[in-house]
Amino acid sequence: MRIIATTRRTRKNLAAFAVTAALVGAGTVAGASSASAATTWQAMDKVCKSYTALDGVTQKGQICAEVQKRVTDSGSVTGWRGRVILSPLNGYGMKPTTYHWSTGEPLAQVCAGGCTMKTAAWTSAWSPVQTLNSGPYKVRGEFNDGSVWDLHASWSRWSTGAEKCATYAAGKVCVQYQSRGYREIHQERSRLTYTPASGGYIIPRSIKIGSIIDGVSTSKTLDLCDPSCTKRTSAYSATVTRTTPNPVGTTEYYATGTFKRPSGTTSTLKAAITD
């Protein structure tokens, strides 16, 4: 038994995300518990890349994309901000142009009115605070020789695209298909969760994340009985993650979870997105 937990529009957006970042964390971030809650900016991610000229030897310099997260005193994350750091070398110039947090959102300029070409070390101002964790920070720019560059930093929250749950005497078991943007790549995972009923238990056996592309099935499985099967009598969860394959021609994304119940029955739940 499976669930089709998305519309064709969502399916189309997922395909677009493999090139960029759709179907990823679209929920509104919970605010601080009170208006007076203290917040601090903490490091989240920093990605740096060195560039060379066409000769493969001459160094153009290094560019970094950096993201911080805003955290309340209770540990809630309420926002993100990004910036770009330039370190040009050997007379080369670097000019940041635009950035965005999610495909489909309008591009924003790094500098109001546009940045000038930078030939010395330079750090941009922090971007306005992003309060929807809809994707990684992506910043673009160009060199003075006409070539272009782009960098991604940070990652979005896991977004559930499909879910299948079943309630037994032993408790409630759910399997979710989830996805997110991680820097410049798209990831997907299968998540199995168990909420026990009084005196109940399950024995998780395996979880799988997979897809069918042009009729060819690929998947990744995590054996939950390695090194041994374990009876779970309290709340439990497990995940298996992989990089999402190119979705061109994809007819199904799916997540499955297999477990044994006290009756001795082995059950499998499947959550799927299909075209």
Side-chain angles (χ1 to χ4, degrees):
M1 179 168 64
R2 72 181 185 182
I3 183 170
I4 308 305
T6 187
T7 63
R8 284 182 176 271
R9 181 179 179 183
T10 303
R11 165 67 183 81
K12 182 177 180 181
N13 287 343
L14 179 61
F17 187 87
V19 181
T20 48
L23 227 207
V24 175
T28 301
V29 178
S33 58
S34 69
S36 61
T39 62
T40 58
W41 284 103
Q42 298 178 11
M44 182 177 182
D45 195 30
K46 186 176 182 180
V47 176
C48 297
K49 183 176 179 180
S50 295
Y51 296 84
T52 58
L54 290 177
D55 61 14
V57 176
T58 305
Q59 296 292 316
K60 292 183 178 182
Q62 184 184 75
I63 301 172
C64 298
E66 183 178 15
V67 172
Q68 291 183 334
K69 58 185 176 180
R70 187 175 62 188
V71 184
T72 69
D73 51 6
S74 64
S76 298
V77 178
T78 62
W80 298 261
R81 64 183 184 181
R83 68 178 180 180
V84 60
I85 303 167
L86 309 180
S87 302
L89 294 172
N90 300 317
Y92 279 93
M94 303 170 171
K95 182 173 73 172
T97 53
T98 59
Y99 73 90
H100 65 96
W101 293 91
S102 176
T103 298
E105 291 183 358
L107 298 177
Q109 292 187 328
V110 174
C111 304
C115 298
T116 58
M117 192 68 68
K118 310 298 181 182
T119 56
W122 180 83
T123 300
S124 73
W126 289 105
S127 70
V129 179
Q130 163 78 356
T131 56
L132 291 178
N133 187 17
S134 53
Y137 172 71
K138 178 178 180 179
V139 60
R140 298 171 174 172
E142 58 190 47
F143 293 100
N144 58 355
D145 62 4
S147 58
V148 297
W149 52 266
D150 65 77
L151 283 177
H152 300 66
S154 78
W155 46 89
S156 59
R157 292 179 174 178
W158 288 103
S159 174
T160 299
E163 181 179 56
K164 178 64 179 179
C165 296
T167 301
Y168 309 97
K172 184 177 181 180
V173 183
C174 293
V175 171
Q176 297 173 324
Y177 172 89
Q178 298 182 321
S179 62
R180 73 171 182 177
Y182 179 81
R183 295 180 177 173
E184 75 278 14
I185 66 174
H186 181 221
Q187 294 180 323
E188 59 184 3
R189 75 179 185 182
S190 173
R191 182 169 184 259
L192 172 71
T193 61
Y194 169 58
T195 304
S198 179
Y201 70 88
I202 65 168
I203 303 174
R205 301 191 67 86
S206 66
I207 48 176
K208 179 191 291 186
I209 183 71
S211 62
I212 301 174
I213 302 176
D214 292 329
V216 178
S217 178
T218 63
S219 63
K220 180 179 179 180
T221 300
L222 177 63
D223 181 1
L224 300 177
C225 283
D226 182 14
S228 63
C229 296
T230 302
K231 181 186 293 186
R232 303 292 178 175
T233 58
S234 58
Y236 171 81
S237 69
T239 61
V240 60
T241 303
R242 72 170 184 170
T243 298
T244 307
N246 187 336
V248 175
T250 298
T251 54
E252 183 177 60
Y253 289 95
Y254 65 88
T256 63
T258 301
F259 50 95
K260 194 171 184 178
R261 295 165 21 215
S263 64
T265 302
T266 298
S267 301
T268 297
L269 294 181
K270 180 178 181 180
I273 299 173
T274 62
D275 191 7

